[in-house]
Amino acid sequence: MALPDFKKTVQNKTAVPEWAEYLKEDEFISYSVTYKCREYLELFDEYVYTCGETGDIKYYVYDPVKHGAAPDKKYPVLMFFHGASNSLMGKDCIMCCGGEQYASPKYQEKMGGAYIIVPIANEKRLENGRIEGTWSEERIPYHIPVKGICDKVMNANRENIGKKFILGASSGGGFTWRLLEKYPDYFDGAMPIASGYIPDEQSLERIGRTKTRILVAHGKHDEMADFDECVKPFINALEKTENCEMFFPEWVYNGDGGIASVYYGFEMGQHCMINWVQSNLIFDDGRAADERFPEGVTGWIRKICDN
């Protein structure tokens, strides 16, 4: 599928998705997120990691100590992976992948502070509109520079580094799984979101033997990574995987309680669960998306850090 160019396309906020026919009488469509965007982008510093296998990789880092956190404490490292085509948005990619909101004072306080790393894939748009160079392309060994970036940030801040987390949506979600396969026991937490790829049962069993805590998130009406095809065949294996939890909601929502629609040439609101994750899986009225995670993703992260 050719992906939209978000710089050139205006979201259609009047579109009626095909899945609208399944809505109940008291449910409504929401076309906009309720959190503020582009508020914290300037808190991120830009770097370049040199890699012969993939070419130079740009990445952004939020340093909590630089922005007022206590210099004598340890903080988790959160690495966010964007979806296909998001790298073409420049620094706005930090906003789309989830990194920006988790650098906000509110989320930093909830987590007790955190480093945030946002690597950028070397994507390019072809003449037919398709994207080349996404995280999910196995022929590009992105795992090499990504681990190198993580190691570099940790070495530079070794006195303040705590547990390590990876979170990715769409192609970034698939890449999150592949990193768990490549580097068993390296990460303390992982959240694959709306991924079209899940490892086979043997790989999941190996991952389950590590210390890594996993939260798999995928909407049942996902328009791009079909739940029945991409997730349902793996549910039994995921249930048997140690330290693995699943969040498979019927609908993906915005903070206002409306069912999410995102239309840039085609509908993908239910695929964009990363937007709900940026709302911390908490509605604007304070309700949790899932009673198992009463304090949302930030609470899930902090719980792992405290154990």
Side-chain angles (χ1 to χ4, degrees):
M1 176 183 290
L3 295 173
D5 185 342
F6 294 102
K7 288 185 177 180
K8 297 180 180 178
T9 307
V10 176
Q11 181 183 357
N12 182 348
K13 295 185 178 181
T14 63
V16 179
E18 290 185 8
W19 42 255
E21 63 179 295
Y22 302 112
L23 300 187
K24 297 176 182 177
E25 207 170 290
D26 59 343
E27 294 174 324
F28 65 97
I29 298 173
S30 173
Y31 294 96
S32 300
V33 298
T34 55
Y35 51 83
K36 294 182 179 179
C37 299
R38 300 182 180 90
E39 292 279 306
Y40 310 107
L41 296 182
E42 297 310 311
L43 301 180
F44 288 81
D45 297 312
E46 182 179 315
Y47 300 91
V48 174
Y49 185 86
T50 300
C51 181
E53 291 85 355
T54 63
D56 291 353
I57 297 291
K58 184 188 296 183
Y59 66 102
Y60 297 93
V61 178
Y62 170 85
D63 181 339
V65 176
K66 179 179 176 181
H67 295 286
D72 58 347
K73 293 185 178 180
K74 292 187 180 295
Y75 304 98
V77 178
L78 315 181
M79 184 175 275
F80 286 84
F81 302 109
H82 61 78
S85 83
N86 286 163
S87 70
L88 306 180
M89 302 177 71
K91 199 168 186 177
D92 279 359
C93 184
I94 302 171
M95 170 189 68
C96 291
C97 75
E100 182 189 12
Q101 295 304 309
Y102 285 78
S104 69
K106 179 181 178 181
Y107 286 19
Q108 285 287 307
E109 181 180 1
K110 287 177 179 292
M111 295 183 291
Y115 285 87
I116 299 174
I117 307 172
V118 180
I120 307 298
N122 290 330
E123 296 179 320
K124 63 179 180 180
R125 183 179 294 278
L126 305 179
E127 289 185 3
N128 62 5
R130 295 184 179 275
I131 302 297
E132 183 179 83
T134 67
W135 296 124
S136 59
E137 293 190 56
E138 294 182 70
R139 64 185 181 82
I140 302 178
Y142 277 126
H143 62 279
I144 297 173
V146 163
K147 184 174 183 296
I149 289 168
C150 192
D151 288 339
K152 187 173 183 178
V153 173
M154 290 193 300
N155 289 335
N157 304 277
R158 61 174 61 89
E159 299 300 321
N160 300 112
I161 296 299
K163 295 187 176 180
K164 305 181 293 295
F165 294 78
I166 46 176
L167 305 90
S170 194
S171 67
F175 187 56
T176 297
W177 277 120
R178 294 190 187 281
L179 286 173
L180 293 180
E181 293 178 291
K182 288 283 186 182
Y183 303 112
D185 217 29
Y186 181 78
F187 301 101
D188 298 282
M191 189 172 182
I193 304 160
S195 170
Y197 171 77
I198 295 177
D200 60 30
E201 187 168 358
Q202 288 183 329
S203 295
L204 288 173
E205 185 180 353
R206 286 195 298 272
I207 293 170
R209 291 198 295 265
T210 72
K211 65 183 180 184
T212 309
R213 302 294 300 271
I214 303 170
L215 176 55
V216 188
H218 204 115
K220 292 184 178 179
H221 290 270
D222 191 312
E223 304 94 346
M224 299 179 70
D226 184 81
F227 185 84
D228 288 345
E229 294 180 13
C230 299
V231 179
K232 190 174 285 187
F234 299 90
I235 289 179
N236 288 339
L238 288 169
E239 289 176 339
K240 291 187 291 184
T241 302
E242 293 292 328
N243 299 319
C244 180
E245 297 176 281
M246 288 164 281
F247 174 59
F248 298 151
E250 187 69 25
W251 296 107
V252 171
Y253 292 87
N254 283 327
D256 60 4
I259 296 171
S261 170
V262 178
Y263 191 98
Y264 286 92
F266 54 86
E267 180 60 51
M268 55 183 175
Q270 294 299 294
H271 181 61
C272 291
M273 182 177 278
I274 188 60
N275 290 350
W276 203 9
V277 171
Q278 292 191 83
S279 291
N280 201 24
L281 296 182
I282 302 287
F283 291 102
D284 294 347
D285 62 8
R287 290 178 296 124
D290 189 307
E291 61 183 12
R292 295 173 300 165
F293 312 108
E295 298 179 41
V297 179
T298 57
W300 176 76
I301 291 169
R302 187 151 192 171
K303 184 177 180 181
I304 293 173
C305 291
D306 289 344
N307 291 334

